[in-house]
Amino acid sequence: MTQQLKHIVLFAFKDAATEENIQAIVDAFANLKHEIDEVHDFEWGLNVSPENLNQGFTHCFQLTFLSDADRDVYLPHPAHKAFGDLLHPHLEKVLVVDYWANDK
Amino acid sequence: MTQQLKHIVLFAFKDAATEENIQAIVDAFANLKHEIDEVHDFEWGLNVSPENLNQGFTHCFQLTFLSDADRDVYLPHPAHKAFGDLLHPHLEKVLVVDYWANDK
């Protein structure tokens, strides 16, 4: 299997962020895979863990890249920067980890 | 595609945890998929994000379940509890989110 670089992003939104604000952010994030060829895959979902270890994060996103060079195109890409401008007024906190997926 | 429940787990280890301690924990976590049939998939990796937004978390694990019933078998399973007993003396902090993967 081609090695995959997983890019996990978690958001918590400010109390003042409306459902419409948040939906626009999710839609814009999902659209980045159409704007940036180097995004190999994208998925997202709402936290539904019963363990209460989510540290306040509610929105989970996972992008997959096929190389760190592709990730390094994504990070400073103008479309990603524009997404950040949409996001930041409503963002309470963010967590990002990247890892090369090993199965053992 | 069958809907997948993603279970993302992040660890930060105590400074006193040795490489051997941490390797034993990673190996034990990876082995859970052999001990608990309901674990559909497992992968892990070290954080390599250049963004410095990992909030101190260094080890990233992703389990996949095919139903919340399967996740609910996993959480209280004796093999998972035994893993927790191995983990906790060395754990600085943990974050867990679960989400149903949507692609848009």
Side-chain angles (χ1 to χ4, degrees):
Chain A
M1 190 180 84
T2 306
Q3 267 230 292
Q4 296 198 329
L5 181 60
K6 301 296 184 79
H7 177 74
I8 308 283
V9 179
L10 306 180
F11 292 153
F13 292 103
K14 292 179 179 171
D15 290 343
T18 65
E19 285 186 32
E20 290 75 14
N21 295 148
I22 293 171
Q23 189 62 52
I25 289 164
V26 169
D27 291 346
F29 207 164
N31 198 49
L32 289 181
K33 70 177 182 290
H34 303 297
E35 298 180 281
I36 306 175
D37 289 343
E38 287 77 4
V39 177
H40 180 68
D41 205 0
F42 169 92
E43 66 180 34
W44 82 283
L46 293 172
N47 176 52
V48 293
S49 171
E51 296 188 86
N52 201 27
L53 295 171
N54 58 308
Q55 316 295 353
F57 292 102
T58 54
H59 288 64
C60 314
F61 303 84
Q62 181 167 184
L63 284 71
T64 303
F65 299 99
L66 297 186
S67 70
D68 46 15
D70 283 357
R71 188 263 326 272
D72 294 344
V73 169
Y74 167 79
L75 289 178
H77 192 286
H80 187 216
K81 293 294 183 190
F83 167 70
D85 292 342
L86 180 73
L87 168 68
H88 277 106
H90 306 292
L91 188 66
E92 177 69 28
K93 59 180 182 173
V94 58
L95 185 151
V96 179
V97 290
D98 295 354
Y99 67 90
W100 287 100
N102 305 298
D103 63 0
K104 60 187 175 189
Chain B
M1 190 180 81
T2 306
Q3 266 230 294
Q4 297 198 329
L5 181 60
K6 302 296 185 78
H7 177 73
I8 308 283
V9 179
L10 307 180
F11 293 153
F13 292 103
K14 292 179 180 172
D15 290 342
T18 66
E19 285 186 33
E20 291 74 16
N21 295 148
I22 293 171
Q23 189 62 53
I25 288 165
V26 170
D27 291 347
F29 207 164
N31 198 50
L32 289 181
K33 69 177 183 291
H34 303 298
E35 298 181 280
I36 306 175
D37 289 343
E38 287 78 4
V39 176
H40 179 68
D41 205 0
F42 170 91
E43 66 179 36
W44 82 283
L46 293 173
N47 177 52
V48 293
S49 170
E51 295 188 86
N52 200 28
L53 295 171
N54 58 308
Q55 316 295 353
F57 292 103
T58 55
H59 288 64
C60 315
F61 302 85
Q62 181 166 187
L63 284 71
T64 303
F65 299 100
L66 298 185
S67 70
D68 46 15
D70 284 356
R71 188 265 322 274
D72 293 344
V73 169
Y74 166 79
L75 289 178
H77 193 285
H80 186 215
K81 293 294 184 190
F83 168 70
D85 292 342
L86 180 74
L87 168 68
H88 278 105
H90 306 293
L91 187 66
E92 178 69 29
K93 60 179 182 174
V94 58
L95 185 150
V96 179
V97 291
D98 295 354
Y99 67 90
W100 288 100
N102 305 298
D103 64 0
K104 60 190 174 189

